[in-house]
Amino acid sequence: MAVSIKSAGKSKATARQRRHLRLRKRIAGTSERPRLVVTRSARHIVAQLVDDSTGTTIASASTLEADLRANTDAKVDKAKVVGGLVAKRAAAAGVTVAVFDRGGNAYHGRVAAVADGAREGGLTL
């Protein structure tokens, strides 16, 4: 008989953390190619460009910002705007190429919208 994840005492959050750790074994940001990290909650989404070699954030954008908080579009549309905004801020910092870190989430919906918005904003993923 198969044991489900829930019955084994593991939550969805624990499974997502395991997937994220599995991804992070292979993905690392450098100064030439920083990591575009996507953090998703039920209501908001945050995108950051991180240089792992120095541990610094190069650029970031979020739906928590005042101008995006006032936006009444759907969450997927807001996520695409966040992707475009982080791409614009990355270009101002001199970054044109990044590696995408989906944070253990499925590449679908808002996470994919951030990547699409970043690509449309001129960032190569």
Side-chain angles (χ1 to χ4, degrees):
M1 184 168 123
V3 178
S4 71
I5 290 175
K6 294 254 181 188
S7 65
K10 296 180 182 171
S11 66
K12 285 169 108 177
T14 305
R16 189 198 64 78
Q17 287 173 345
R18 284 178 40 233
R19 285 191 303 271
H20 192 196
L21 289 173
R22 208 165 44 229
L23 280 169
R24 283 302 313 274
K25 281 192 253 181
R26 287 176 260 152
I27 295 174
T30 62
S31 57
E32 297 86 29
R33 189 171 180 182
R35 184 169 50 100
L36 177 60
V37 185
V38 176
T39 307
R40 182 182 65 90
S41 74
R43 184 176 292 181
H44 296 288
I45 196 149
V46 178
Q48 295 179 326
L49 276 172
V50 177
D51 178 1
D52 290 320
S53 60
T54 60
T56 57
T57 300
I58 298 167
S60 68
S62 168
T63 55
L64 292 165
E65 296 174 13
D67 54 343
L68 290 177
R69 238 182 212 279
N71 192 345
T72 59
D73 292 340
K75 291 189 280 188
V76 174
D77 297 332
K78 286 183 185 180
K80 198 165 192 176
V81 171
V82 166
L85 193 56
V86 78
K88 185 174 126 184
R89 292 174 182 172
V95 175
T96 57
V97 181
V99 61
F100 190 70
D101 180 5
R102 59 188 172 90
N105 298 304
Y107 187 83
H108 184 269
R110 290 186 285 155
V111 175
V114 170
D116 292 340
R119 285 187 191 103
E120 288 175 8
L123 198 60
T124 304
L125 299 178

